DNA sequence: CGGTATCCACGACGATACTG
DNA sequence: CAGTATCGTCGTGGATACCG
């Protein structure tokens, strides 16, 4: 459980994971979907997600530099967990805010 | 997701939830299952879990005082999430430590 | 554009001591 | 037995500034 939690429990981690879930996403796209946040935060998240090989980075040639992020198979394996997190949090008679 | 995560992501939260999952558990039982931890930690966890009405406290009469904790229906609703956390963390090709 | 470097603040974690 | 009180430490989150 700890193992799964460290992957998913950091601040904004779920949102950072959700973008590349349905296909490659650039850093800017990712960032734009996060509400008013410093650029450091997704960078940090992506770094640890990269180290754990949950997301893969790919730099595109040219200028300005572009990078796309995609989920590795291990990253895709987190999907059911994210779904369950959503279901549990959204459950009507469920967990209190 | 945030809602579900705050319920489950605190340190030792999963272990604190697991004990009363299969029936009432006393504070001492709970504590004994946690590896070498200060008594403050489960107390703190149980307090917030109580405030969120995920666990219910019941004091037994007599001396010394005994208290049993049981999960509320909302607490039971966390079960699929805990199962999924376990599955994801334990998956062979899964998330890296 | 896609980051890194530096610094700060706050809250969680945990030890120790104490209480009803 | 079942906690509370107090205090210290450390990590995380975040702002701001800067770089290739």
């Amino acid at each position: 459980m700890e193992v799964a939690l460290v992957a998913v429990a950091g601040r904004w981690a779920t949102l950072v994971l959700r973008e590349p879930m349905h296909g490659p996403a650039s850093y800017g796209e990712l960032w734009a979907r996060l509400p008013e946040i410093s650029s450091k935060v997704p960078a940090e998240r992506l770094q640890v997600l990269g180290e754990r090989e949950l997301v893969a980075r790919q730099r595109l040639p040219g200028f300005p530099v572009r990078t796309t992020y995609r989920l590795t198979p291990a990253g895709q394996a987190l999907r059911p967990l994210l779904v369950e997190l959503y279901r549990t949090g959204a459950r009507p008679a469920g967990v209190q805010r």
Side-chain angles (χ1 to χ4, degrees), chain A:
Chain A
M1 286 173 165
E2 297 259 332
V3 174
L5 277 172
V6 296
V8 134
R11 195 97 207 262
W12 310 116
T14 53
L15 295 181
V16 168
L17 279 167
R18 191 155 55 180
E19 276 317 303
M21 205 60 142
H22 299 292
S26 76
Y27 186 84
E29 285 167 3
L30 229 56
W31 187 16
R33 315 264 177 150
L34 304 179
E36 291 293 320
I37 210 63
S38 160
S39 124
K40 198 204 80 170
V41 180
E44 199 175 71
R45 276 306 134 212
L46 286 168
Q47 181 137 7
V48 313
L49 290 174
E51 285 167 5
R52 292 170 187 279
E53 300 184 13
L54 297 172
V55 304
R57 183 174 317 209
Q58 184 177 11
R59 302 188 89 99
L60 306 181
F63 185 86
V65 184
R66 282 212 139 238
T67 314
T68 67
Y69 291 91
R70 64 191 69 240
L71 291 185
T72 65
Q76 294 284 351
L78 292 177
R79 188 166 203 165
L81 175 55
L82 294 177
V83 170
E84 192 57 44
L85 277 170
Y86 176 77
R87 280 173 32 84
T88 303
R91 184 141 26 205
V95 183
Q96 298 295 317
R97 219 176 345 106

